[in-house]
């Protein structure tokens, strides 16, 4: 195997090469690489092989060099899943060995792979998540009937309460979502992502017609919002936020339904609700109510010093009460300082 280590941002025609593999996903594109690198100063190292001008195998990695969490390789930071591309178990094993060798020489603590069950199943998993995917086939009515009864009622309730949903790709819409997201994360006890991150999302993804922002309005007030990515015939729900005092209007349900309809009529075939932690029963139940297919997502962590795949204890909690008490400007400052270290 002729293995190359490339930078997808500077590699000529990377996205065209990526499309030659039917296993490729949005998170492997140069647009997502640009967002991660320019927001958090990560170093891209994409391990690839080609065959007759087509992409044969791929493990995309960002080197995270943090004084708080150590130096490591992650495939990929802030990504729901990123299953390595390869035509055989042997091919992927060789590529992974090359990655581990590189990490050893570079002084990494560990290598994290967000996917790869097809060839790593004999090794210990470091974390497990659930994915929820809706197949966009049939008519609106046929899809609507597959939803749980409570989901259908919540959609109808939002319509009755005069909630409406708009779609936009402007920076103004991203800013509106950022404000909602900051309030939502404060309520959940976690800092918001840096505003620079959302600027890069707009610059490289949303303004380039690779994603869209949905905003649910009650009268003129933005009460819920979502950020969605698009790749081929697949759409992905990546970020969501809402104002708690308007939850009784069920704006999130209508936002999702209007977005699903938009993608259905645009010829998309799949709508992904992203990943969910198994312990987050409420969110899992919400996503399951849309008639989705559930599948596990397995993460693997190779400890370079131990020379073995290991089970990792969860370092970050999903909520920190003291963040709820912080003034908004201080909480945003915390997000600006901490996210690049979390990776």
């Amino acid at each position: 195997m002729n293995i190359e280590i490339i930078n997808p941002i500077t590699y000529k025609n990377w996205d065209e090469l990526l499309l030659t593999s039917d296993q490729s996903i949005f998170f492997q594109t140069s647009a997502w690489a640009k967002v991660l690198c320019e927001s958090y100063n990560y170093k891209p190292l994409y391990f690839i092989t080609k065959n007759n001008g087509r992409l044969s195998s791929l493990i995309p990695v960002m080197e995270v060099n943090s004084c708080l969490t150590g130096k490591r390789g992650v495939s990929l930071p802030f990504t729901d899943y990123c299953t390595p591309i390869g035509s055989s178990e042997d091919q992927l094993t060789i590529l992974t060995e090359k990655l581990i060798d590189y990490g050893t020489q570079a002084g990494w603590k560990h290598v994290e792979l967000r996917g790869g069950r097809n060839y790593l199943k004999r090794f210990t998993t470091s974390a497990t998540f659930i994915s929820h995917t809706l197949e966009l086939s049939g008519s609106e009515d046929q899809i609507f009937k597959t939803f749980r009864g409570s989901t259908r009622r919540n959609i109808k309730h939002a319509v009755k309460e005069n909630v409406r949903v708009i779609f936009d790709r402007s920076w103004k819409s991203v800013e509106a979502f950022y404000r909602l997201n900051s309030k939502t994360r404060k309520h959940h006890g976690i800092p918001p992502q840096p505003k620079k991150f959302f600027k890069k999302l707009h610059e490289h993804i949303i303004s380039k017609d690779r994603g869209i922002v949905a905003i649910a309005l009650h009268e003129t007030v933005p009460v819920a919002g979502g950020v969605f990515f698009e790749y081929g015939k697949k759409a992905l729900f990546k970020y969501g936020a809402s104002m708690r005092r308007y939850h009784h209007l069920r704006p999130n349900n209508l936002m999702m339904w209007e977005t699903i309809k938009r993608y259905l009529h645009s010829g998309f075939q799949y709508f992904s609700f992203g990943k969910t932690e198994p312990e987050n029963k409420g969110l899992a139940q919400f996503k399951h109510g849309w008639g989705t297919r559930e599948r596990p997502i397995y993460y693997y962590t190779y400890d370079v010093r131990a020379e073995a795949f290991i089970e990792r204890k969860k370092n970050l909690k999903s909520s920190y009460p003291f963040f709820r008490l912080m003034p908004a400007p201080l909480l945003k400052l915390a997000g600006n300082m901490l996210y690049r270290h979390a990776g």
Side-chain angles (χ1 to χ4, degrees):
M1 291 174 61
N2 181 20
I3 298 174
E4 300 178 66
I5 305 175
I6 64 104
N7 180 341
I9 298 171
T10 58
Y11 192 85
K12 187 177 180 180
N13 300 324
W14 168 250
D15 290 326
E16 287 78 3
L17 179 63
L18 186 62
L19 284 171
T20 63
S21 170
D22 58 8
Q23 300 176 45
S24 63
I25 61 173
F26 171 84
F27 293 119
Q28 297 156 343
T29 64
S30 62
W32 185 238
K34 289 175 184 176
V35 171
L36 294 178
C37 292
E38 294 176 17
S39 298
Y40 302 116
N41 199 31
Y42 297 149
K43 179 181 178 181
L45 300 160
Y46 284 32
F47 292 72
I48 73 167
T49 64
K50 295 180 293 186
N51 185 17
N52 295 324
R54 299 175 66 87
L55 184 65
S56 179
S57 62
L58 163 68
I59 301 179
V61 177
M62 290 286 171
E63 182 180 81
V64 179
N65 193 356
S66 165
C67 60
L68 299 180
T69 56
K71 189 177 182 183
R72 60 202 192 279
V74 183
S75 179
L76 286 167
F78 305 112
T79 296
D80 297 47
Y81 48 83
C82 196
T83 301
I85 290 175
S87 58
S88 70
E89 184 175 326
D90 287 344
Q91 186 183 52
L92 286 169
T93 299
I94 293 171
L95 199 63
T96 303
E97 289 173 350
K98 176 70 173 180
L99 167 61
I100 291 171
D101 286 344
Y102 181 97
T104 302
Q105 296 299 318
W108 293 354
K109 289 174 55 179
H110 63 256
V111 177
E112 181 179 312
L113 301 175
R114 301 186 173 184
R117 181 72 170 179
N118 54 333
Y119 76 104
L120 295 172
K121 52 184 174 290
R122 67 183 182 277
F123 296 110
T124 301
T125 59
S126 59
T128 303
F129 299 90
I130 305 169
S131 70
H132 294 81
T133 303
L134 175 65
E135 187 173 343
L136 301 180
S137 61
S139 66
E140 280 186 22
D141 287 343
Q142 288 171 326
I143 292 176
F144 191 78
K145 288 176 182 178
T146 67
F147 300 163
R148 185 190 297 128
S150 60
T151 302
R152 298 196 300 268
R153 289 192 297 273
N154 288 337
I155 292 169
K156 293 176 181 177
H157 178 72
V159 173
K160 185 178 179 180
E161 293 289 340
N162 296 316
V163 177
R164 60 189 179 92
V165 179
I166 60 171
F167 296 95
D168 195 20
R169 290 189 166 97
S170 69
W171 168 243
K172 184 178 178 181
S173 66
V174 177
E175 272 194 311
F177 176 82
Y178 172 75
R179 290 191 291 269
L180 282 170
N181 183 65
S182 296
K183 293 176 181 177
T184 299
R185 295 210 156 214
K186 178 177 173 63
H187 173 75
H188 288 163
I190 48 177
Q193 300 94 330
K195 192 171 187 178
K196 181 180 180 180
F197 173 74
F198 285 100
K199 287 182 177 179
K200 294 301 177 180
L201 280 182
H202 179 255
E203 178 183 349
H204 297 303
I205 297 173
I206 296 169
S207 69
K208 299 293 192 297
D209 294 343
R210 296 177 176 135
I212 201 160
V213 178
I215 301 291
L217 300 168
H218 183 247
E219 297 179 347
T220 60
V221 180
V223 295
V227 175
F228 302 85
F229 296 160
E230 303 161 4
Y231 185 72
K233 297 298 182 181
K234 303 172 184 176
L236 169 71
F237 171 52
K238 181 57 177 163
Y239 301 108
S242 58
M243 294 181 67
R244 187 172 179 81
R245 67 175 179 272
Y246 288 95
H247 280 186
H248 66 284
L249 302 178
R250 302 294 187 258
N252 292 296
N253 294 81
L254 185 62
M255 180 193 69
M256 282 295 186
W257 176 226
E258 292 297 328
T259 306
I260 289 168
K261 288 194 295 183
R262 179 186 177 90
Y263 284 127
L264 172 67
H265 295 304
S266 298
F268 283 71
Q269 297 173 349
Y270 298 97
F271 181 86
S272 171
F273 284 78
K275 74 173 185 181
T276 307
E277 296 178 337
E279 58 268 27
N280 195 337
K281 303 296 184 184
L283 183 58
Q285 185 180 31
F286 172 80
K287 293 179 179 181
H288 188 64
W290 296 87
T292 54
R293 182 180 68 248
E294 292 186 357
R295 287 185 177 175
I297 302 171
Y298 298 101
Y299 285 14
Y300 294 86
T301 299
Y302 183 87
D303 187 299
V304 173
R305 182 174 296 178
E307 298 184 353
F309 284 94
I310 60 169
E311 181 179 359
R312 293 182 65 199
K313 293 183 179 179
K314 191 173 180 181
N315 295 322
L316 298 175
K317 297 189 293 185
S318 58
S319 179
Y320 295 85
F322 63 87
F323 281 134
R324 295 194 186 103
L325 303 176
M326 277 189 180
L330 189 57
L331 191 62
K332 291 177 182 179
L333 179 61
N336 290 340
M337 295 174 60
L338 296 176
Y339 266 90
R340 73 168 303 272
H341 301 285

